[in-house]
mmCIF file of all heavy atoms in Angstrom:
data_model
loop_
_atom_site.group_PDB
_atom_site.id
_atom_site.type_symbol
_atom_site.label_atom_id
_atom_site.label_comp_id
_atom_site.label_asym_id
_atom_site.label_seq_id
_atom_site.Cartn_x
_atom_site.Cartn_y
_atom_site.Cartn_z
ATOM 1 N N TYR A 1 -64.751 -93.601 162.526
ATOM 2 C CA TYR A 1 -63.328 -93.494 162.118
ATOM 3 C C TYR A 1 -63.104 -92.320 161.215
ATOM 4 O O TYR A 1 -64.024 -91.682 160.683
ATOM 5 C CB TYR A 1 -62.891 -94.772 161.426
ATOM 6 C CG TYR A 1 -63.638 -94.988 160.095
ATOM 7 C CD1 TYR A 1 -63.137 -94.659 158.913
ATOM 8 C CD2 TYR A 1 -64.865 -95.658 160.105
ATOM 9 C CE1 TYR A 1 -63.775 -94.874 157.743
ATOM 10 C CE2 TYR A 1 -65.573 -95.834 158.911
ATOM 11 C CZ TYR A 1 -64.971 -95.459 157.777
ATOM 12 O OH TYR A 1 -65.696 -95.625 156.577
ATOM 13 N N GLY A 2 -61.837 -91.961 161.098
ATOM 14 C CA GLY A 2 -61.493 -90.850 160.229
ATOM 15 C C GLY A 2 -60.217 -90.167 160.704
ATOM 16 O O GLY A 2 -59.461 -90.662 161.557
ATOM 17 N N ILE A 3 -59.945 -89.031 160.106
ATOM 18 C CA ILE A 3 -58.707 -88.251 160.441
ATOM 19 C C ILE A 3 -59.268 -86.934 161.161
ATOM 20 O O ILE A 3 -60.187 -86.298 160.616
ATOM 21 C CB ILE A 3 -58.004 -87.835 159.100
ATOM 22 C CG1 ILE A 3 -57.641 -89.040 158.277
ATOM 23 C CG2 ILE A 3 -56.792 -86.988 159.459
ATOM 24 C CD1 ILE A 3 -56.645 -89.997 158.952
ATOM 25 N N ASP A 4 -58.648 -86.616 162.287
ATOM 26 C CA ASP A 4 -59.065 -85.410 163.010
ATOM 27 C C ASP A 4 -58.460 -84.189 162.362
ATOM 28 O O ASP A 4 -57.706 -84.206 161.424
ATOM 29 C CB ASP A 4 -58.822 -85.517 164.476
ATOM 30 C CG ASP A 4 -57.349 -85.522 164.872
ATOM 31 O OD1 ASP A 4 -56.490 -85.403 163.939
ATOM 32 O OD2 ASP A 4 -56.975 -85.677 166.015
ATOM 33 N N ALA A 5 -58.797 -83.057 162.960
ATOM 34 C CA ALA A 5 -58.285 -81.717 162.461
ATOM 35 C C ALA A 5 -56.784 -81.613 162.477
ATOM 36 O O ALA A 5 -56.212 -80.866 161.684
ATOM 37 C CB ALA A 5 -58.916 -80.611 163.260
ATOM 38 N N THR A 6 -56.066 -82.413 163.333
ATOM 39 C CA THR A 6 -54.606 -82.330 163.373
ATOM 40 C C THR A 6 -53.959 -83.355 162.514
ATOM 41 O O THR A 6 -52.739 -83.415 162.471
ATOM 42 C CB THR A 6 -54.143 -82.490 164.838
ATOM 43 O OG1 THR A 6 -54.504 -83.792 165.304
ATOM 44 C CG2 THR A 6 -54.672 -81.464 165.747
ATOM 45 N N GLY A 7 -54.739 -84.148 161.803
ATOM 46 C CA GLY A 7 -54.182 -85.123 160.869
ATOM 47 C C GLY A 7 -53.927 -86.535 161.516
ATOM 48 O O GLY A 7 -53.353 -87.373 160.868
ATOM 49 N N LYS A 8 -54.422 -86.708 162.729
ATOM 50 C CA LYS A 8 -54.213 -88.001 163.397
ATOM 51 C C LYS A 8 -55.379 -88.970 163.062
ATOM 52 O O LYS A 8 -56.555 -88.536 163.092
ATOM 53 C CB LYS A 8 -54.158 -87.852 164.906
ATOM 54 C CG LYS A 8 -52.897 -87.073 165.288
ATOM 55 C CD LYS A 8 -52.848 -86.931 166.785
ATOM 56 C CE LYS A 8 -51.660 -86.104 167.208
ATOM 57 N NZ LYS A 8 -51.638 -85.942 168.691
ATOM 58 N N PRO A 9 -55.133 -90.205 162.804
ATOM 59 C CA PRO A 9 -56.229 -91.195 162.586
ATOM 60 C C PRO A 9 -56.916 -91.487 163.900
ATOM 61 O O PRO A 9 -56.337 -91.661 164.946
ATOM 62 C CB PRO A 9 -55.499 -92.433 162.042
ATOM 63 C CG PRO A 9 -54.123 -92.333 162.561
ATOM 64 C CD PRO A 9 -53.797 -90.821 162.684
ATOM 65 N N LYS A 10 -58.253 -91.545 163.804
ATOM 66 C CA LYS A 10 -59.115 -91.858 164.943
ATOM 67 C C LYS A 10 -60.066 -93.023 164.591
ATOM 68 O O LYS A 10 -60.424 -93.191 163.455
ATOM 69 C CB LYS A 10 -60.085 -90.659 165.273
ATOM 70 C CG LYS A 10 -59.384 -89.344 165.561
ATOM 71 C CD LYS A 10 -58.882 -89.472 166.981
ATOM 72 C CE LYS A 10 -58.412 -88.092 167.448
ATOM 73 N NZ LYS A 10 -58.015 -88.151 168.807
ATOM 74 N N ALA A 11 -60.331 -93.841 165.620
ATOM 75 C CA ALA A 11 -61.310 -94.978 165.430
ATOM 76 C C ALA A 11 -61.786 -95.340 166.790
ATOM 77 O O ALA A 11 -61.110 -95.377 167.825
ATOM 78 C CB ALA A 11 -60.595 -96.156 164.763
ATOM 79 N N GLY A 12 -63.095 -95.661 166.829
ATOM 80 C CA GLY A 12 -63.746 -96.052 168.105
ATOM 81 C C GLY A 12 -65.025 -96.896 167.839
ATOM 82 O O GLY A 12 -65.603 -96.668 166.726
ATOM 83 N N ARG A 13 -65.305 -97.789 168.644
ATOM 84 C CA ARG A 13 -66.483 -98.610 168.468
ATOM 85 C C ARG A 13 -67.476 -98.226 169.561
ATOM 86 O O ARG A 13 -67.091 -97.877 170.698
ATOM 87 C CB ARG A 13 -66.235 -100.064 168.443
ATOM 88 C CG ARG A 13 -65.567 -100.632 169.702
ATOM 89 C CD ARG A 13 -65.248 -102.103 169.521
ATOM 90 N NE ARG A 13 -64.202 -102.493 170.500
ATOM 91 C CZ ARG A 13 -64.404 -103.252 171.511
ATOM 92 N NH1 ARG A 13 -65.626 -103.733 171.723
ATOM 93 N NH2 ARG A 13 -63.464 -103.556 172.320
ATOM 94 N N PHE A 14 -68.799 -98.285 169.211
ATOM 95 C CA PHE A 14 -69.825 -97.908 170.144
ATOM 96 C C PHE A 14 -70.867 -98.933 170.144
ATOM 97 O O PHE A 14 -71.282 -99.446 169.041
ATOM 98 C CB PHE A 14 -70.394 -96.527 169.727
ATOM 99 C CG PHE A 14 -69.378 -95.398 169.818
ATOM 100 C CD1 PHE A 14 -68.532 -95.148 168.752
ATOM 101 C CD2 PHE A 14 -69.246 -94.685 170.983
ATOM 102 C CE1 PHE A 14 -67.639 -94.093 168.818
ATOM 103 C CE2 PHE A 14 -68.291 -93.694 171.052
ATOM 104 C CZ PHE A 14 -67.516 -93.390 170.034
ATOM 105 N N PRO A 15 -71.402 -99.237 171.332
ATOM 106 C CA PRO A 15 -72.467 -100.236 171.390
ATOM 107 C C PRO A 15 -73.814 -99.677 170.832
ATOM 108 O O PRO A 15 -73.947 -98.454 170.715
ATOM 109 C CB PRO A 15 -72.680 -100.513 172.919
ATOM 110 C CG PRO A 15 -72.063 -99.314 173.574
ATOM 111 C CD PRO A 15 -71.009 -98.769 172.639
ATOM 112 N N GLU A 16 -74.722 -100.540 170.563
ATOM 113 C CA GLU A 16 -76.004 -100.200 169.929
ATOM 114 C C GLU A 16 -76.795 -99.138 170.717
ATOM 115 O O GLU A 16 -77.340 -98.208 170.120
ATOM 116 C CB GLU A 16 -76.871 -101.450 169.786
ATOM 117 C CG GLU A 16 -78.071 -101.228 168.907
ATOM 118 C CD GLU A 16 -78.862 -102.479 168.648
ATOM 119 O OE1 GLU A 16 -78.344 -103.584 169.061
ATOM 120 O OE2 GLU A 16 -79.894 -102.427 168.083
ATOM 121 N N ARG A 17 -76.675 -99.174 172.039
ATOM 122 C CA ARG A 17 -77.470 -98.165 172.843
ATOM 123 C C ARG A 17 -76.872 -96.811 172.727
ATOM 124 O O ARG A 17 -77.565 -95.834 173.017
ATOM 125 C CB ARG A 17 -77.532 -98.649 174.332
ATOM 126 C CG ARG A 17 -76.209 -98.589 175.004
ATOM 127 C CD ARG A 17 -76.356 -99.114 176.483
ATOM 128 N NE ARG A 17 -75.128 -98.931 177.206
ATOM 129 C CZ ARG A 17 -74.095 -99.752 177.138
ATOM 130 N NH1 ARG A 17 -74.132 -100.805 176.369
ATOM 131 N NH2 ARG A 17 -72.987 -99.484 177.825
ATOM 132 N N GLN A 18 -75.622 -96.611 172.259
ATOM 133 C CA GLN A 18 -75.017 -95.284 172.112
ATOM 134 C C GLN A 18 -74.846 -94.940 170.668
ATOM 135 O O GLN A 18 -74.294 -93.860 170.369
ATOM 136 C CB GLN A 18 -73.611 -95.298 172.778
ATOM 137 C CG GLN A 18 -73.649 -95.489 174.268
ATOM 138 C CD GLN A 18 -72.295 -95.576 174.882
ATOM 139 O OE1 GLN A 18 -71.288 -95.783 174.178
ATOM 140 N NE2 GLN A 18 -72.154 -95.384 176.136
ATOM 141 N N ALA A 19 -75.376 -95.753 169.742
ATOM 142 C CA ALA A 19 -75.156 -95.471 168.310
ATOM 143 C C ALA A 19 -75.646 -94.136 167.858
ATOM 144 O O ALA A 19 -75.020 -93.455 167.133
ATOM 145 C CB ALA A 19 -75.800 -96.611 167.495
ATOM 146 N N ALA A 20 -76.863 -93.777 168.256
ATOM 147 C CA ALA A 20 -77.473 -92.520 167.730
ATOM 148 C C ALA A 20 -76.620 -91.274 168.242
ATOM 149 O O ALA A 20 -76.342 -90.428 167.455
ATOM 150 C CB ALA A 20 -78.920 -92.380 168.236
ATOM 151 N N ALA A 21 -76.197 -91.302 169.536
ATOM 152 C CA ALA A 21 -75.447 -90.164 170.010
ATOM 153 C C ALA A 21 -73.996 -90.189 169.344
ATOM 154 O O ALA A 21 -73.528 -89.135 169.048
ATOM 155 C CB ALA A 21 -75.241 -90.335 171.558
ATOM 156 N N ALA A 22 -73.420 -91.376 169.138
ATOM 157 C CA ALA A 22 -72.120 -91.466 168.479
ATOM 158 C C ALA A 22 -72.155 -90.933 167.088
ATOM 159 O O ALA A 22 -71.267 -90.281 166.651
ATOM 160 C CB ALA A 22 -71.607 -92.822 168.590
ATOM 161 N N GLU A 23 -73.240 -91.328 166.358
ATOM 162 C CA GLU A 23 -73.395 -90.839 164.996
ATOM 163 C C GLU A 23 -73.484 -89.283 164.914
ATOM 164 O O GLU A 23 -72.897 -88.638 164.043
ATOM 165 C CB GLU A 23 -74.586 -91.455 164.316
ATOM 166 C CG GLU A 23 -74.387 -92.937 163.867
ATOM 167 C CD GLU A 23 -75.603 -93.419 163.183
ATOM 168 O OE1 GLU A 23 -75.927 -92.854 162.114
ATOM 169 O OE2 GLU A 23 -76.098 -94.483 163.554
ATOM 170 N N LYS A 24 -74.238 -88.734 165.825
ATOM 171 C CA LYS A 24 -74.407 -87.263 165.854
ATOM 172 C C LYS A 24 -73.041 -86.610 166.193
ATOM 173 O O LYS A 24 -72.700 -85.642 165.468
ATOM 174 C CB LYS A 24 -75.474 -86.905 166.935
ATOM 175 C CG LYS A 24 -75.787 -85.430 166.936
ATOM 176 C CD LYS A 24 -76.842 -85.165 168.042
ATOM 177 C CE LYS A 24 -77.109 -83.663 168.084
ATOM 178 N NZ LYS A 24 -78.170 -83.417 169.084
ATOM 179 N N ALA A 25 -72.354 -87.102 167.118
ATOM 180 C CA ALA A 25 -71.020 -86.572 167.478
ATOM 181 C C ALA A 25 -70.044 -86.759 166.287
ATOM 182 O O ALA A 25 -69.247 -85.896 165.948
ATOM 183 C CB ALA A 25 -70.481 -87.197 168.716
ATOM 184 N N ALA A 26 -70.069 -87.895 165.614
ATOM 185 C CA ALA A 26 -69.181 -88.198 164.501
ATOM 186 C C ALA A 26 -69.393 -87.174 163.356
ATOM 187 O O ALA A 26 -68.498 -86.645 162.699
ATOM 188 C CB ALA A 26 -69.395 -89.621 164.015
ATOM 189 N N ARG A 27 -70.697 -86.876 163.045
ATOM 190 C CA ARG A 27 -70.953 -85.898 162.054
ATOM 191 C C ARG A 27 -70.435 -84.516 162.388
ATOM 192 O O ARG A 27 -69.885 -83.827 161.519
ATOM 193 C CB ARG A 27 -72.517 -85.742 161.810
ATOM 194 C CG ARG A 27 -73.079 -86.920 161.033
ATOM 195 C CD ARG A 27 -74.544 -86.555 160.549
ATOM 196 N NE ARG A 27 -75.394 -86.235 161.678
ATOM 197 C CZ ARG A 27 -76.145 -87.132 162.295
ATOM 198 N NH1 ARG A 27 -76.144 -88.437 161.917
ATOM 199 N NH2 ARG A 27 -76.915 -86.783 163.301
ATOM 200 N N SER A 28 -70.580 -84.066 163.606
ATOM 201 C CA SER A 28 -70.034 -82.821 164.012
ATOM 202 C C SER A 28 -68.518 -82.751 163.988
ATOM 203 O O SER A 28 -67.898 -81.672 163.781
ATOM 204 C CB SER A 28 -70.480 -82.367 165.410
ATOM 205 O OG SER A 28 -69.954 -83.224 166.419
ATOM 206 N N LEU A 29 -67.838 -83.901 164.162
ATOM 207 C CA LEU A 29 -66.378 -83.940 164.091
ATOM 208 C C LEU A 29 -65.854 -84.376 162.733
ATOM 209 O O LEU A 29 -64.659 -84.488 162.554
ATOM 210 C CB LEU A 29 -65.845 -84.958 165.156
ATOM 211 C CG LEU A 29 -66.060 -84.589 166.578
ATOM 212 C CD1 LEU A 29 -65.709 -85.752 167.477
ATOM 213 C CD2 LEU A 29 -65.250 -83.330 166.936
ATOM 214 N N LYS A 30 -66.761 -84.542 161.788
ATOM 215 C CA LYS A 30 -66.483 -84.865 160.373
ATOM 216 C C LYS A 30 -65.760 -86.180 160.312
ATOM 217 O O LYS A 30 -64.802 -86.376 159.562
ATOM 218 C CB LYS A 30 -65.650 -83.762 159.722
ATOM 219 C CG LYS A 30 -66.464 -82.486 159.632
ATOM 220 C CD LYS A 30 -65.729 -81.386 158.869
ATOM 221 C CE LYS A 30 -66.713 -80.221 158.831
ATOM 222 N NZ LYS A 30 -66.104 -78.966 158.850
ATOM 223 N N LEU A 31 -66.285 -87.180 161.056
ATOM 224 C CA LEU A 31 -65.720 -88.575 161.059
ATOM 225 C C LEU A 31 -66.789 -89.451 160.357
ATOM 226 O O LEU A 31 -67.999 -89.173 160.350
ATOM 227 C CB LEU A 31 -65.520 -89.046 162.459
ATOM 228 C CG LEU A 31 -64.439 -88.326 163.217
ATOM 229 C CD1 LEU A 31 -64.424 -88.809 164.689
ATOM 230 C CD2 LEU A 31 -63.112 -88.400 162.641
ATOM 231 N N ALA A 32 -66.317 -90.557 159.769
ATOM 232 C CA ALA A 32 -67.172 -91.526 159.080
ATOM 233 C C ALA A 32 -67.732 -92.504 160.075
ATOM 234 O O ALA A 32 -67.210 -92.753 161.157
ATOM 235 C CB ALA A 32 -66.414 -92.187 157.995
ATOM 236 N N VAL A 33 -68.929 -93.092 159.718
ATOM 237 C CA VAL A 33 -69.552 -94.068 160.512
ATOM 238 C C VAL A 33 -69.829 -95.314 159.724
ATOM 239 O O VAL A 33 -70.274 -95.244 158.554
ATOM 240 C CB VAL A 33 -70.938 -93.530 161.053
ATOM 241 C CG1 VAL A 33 -71.669 -94.581 161.875
ATOM 242 C CG2 VAL A 33 -70.750 -92.270 161.854
ATOM 243 N N CYS A 34 -69.523 -96.483 160.317
ATOM 244 C CA CYS A 34 -69.767 -97.786 159.621
ATOM 245 C C CYS A 34 -70.560 -98.598 160.542
ATOM 246 O O CYS A 34 -70.269 -98.816 161.731
ATOM 247 C CB CYS A 34 -68.427 -98.480 159.354
ATOM 248 S SG CYS A 34 -68.570 -100.115 158.643
ATOM 249 N N ASN A 35 -71.725 -99.096 160.068
ATOM 250 C CA ASN A 35 -72.555 -100.038 160.834
ATOM 251 C C ASN A 35 -71.871 -101.389 160.844
ATOM 252 O O ASN A 35 -71.435 -101.896 159.751
ATOM 253 C CB ASN A 35 -73.963 -100.133 160.226
ATOM 254 C CG ASN A 35 -74.714 -98.874 160.400
ATOM 255 O OD1 ASN A 35 -74.614 -98.246 161.424
ATOM 256 N ND2 ASN A 35 -75.496 -98.508 159.386
ATOM 257 N N VAL A 36 -71.917 -102.044 161.986
ATOM 258 C CA VAL A 36 -71.306 -103.389 162.139
ATOM 259 C C VAL A 36 -72.456 -104.339 161.905
ATOM 260 O O VAL A 36 -73.121 -104.766 162.837
ATOM 261 C CB VAL A 36 -70.664 -103.567 163.502
ATOM 262 C CG1 VAL A 36 -70.046 -104.965 163.661
ATOM 263 C CG2 VAL A 36 -69.634 -102.449 163.749
ATOM 264 N N ASP A 37 -72.647 -104.649 160.648
ATOM 265 C CA ASP A 37 -73.803 -105.566 160.279
ATOM 266 C C ASP A 37 -73.396 -106.738 159.399
ATOM 267 O O ASP A 37 -74.224 -107.397 158.876
ATOM 268 C CB ASP A 37 -74.864 -104.699 159.571
ATOM 269 C CG ASP A 37 -74.335 -103.964 158.377
ATOM 270 O OD1 ASP A 37 -73.155 -104.092 158.086
ATOM 271 O OD2 ASP A 37 -75.150 -103.265 157.724
#
């Protein structure tokens, strides 16, 4: 989740098998990551 470069709020959930790739992409887009634990 987070705010994109245009100021729009973003949020998406990802299954465990895609977590590593989603975290890497989130870092490059400057979005936050929350573990569902």
Side-chain angles (χ1 to χ4, degrees):
Y1 63 96
I3 306 293
D4 69 3
T6 62
K8 294 180 182 177
K10 300 283 191 177
R13 59 186 159 108
F14 296 88
E16 189 174 356
R17 69 181 186 281
Q18 296 177 343
E23 284 185 57
K24 184 177 178 182
R27 281 194 304 269
S28 70
L29 294 171
K30 297 183 177 148
L31 298 173
V33 177
C34 176
N35 290 322
V36 181
D37 55 1

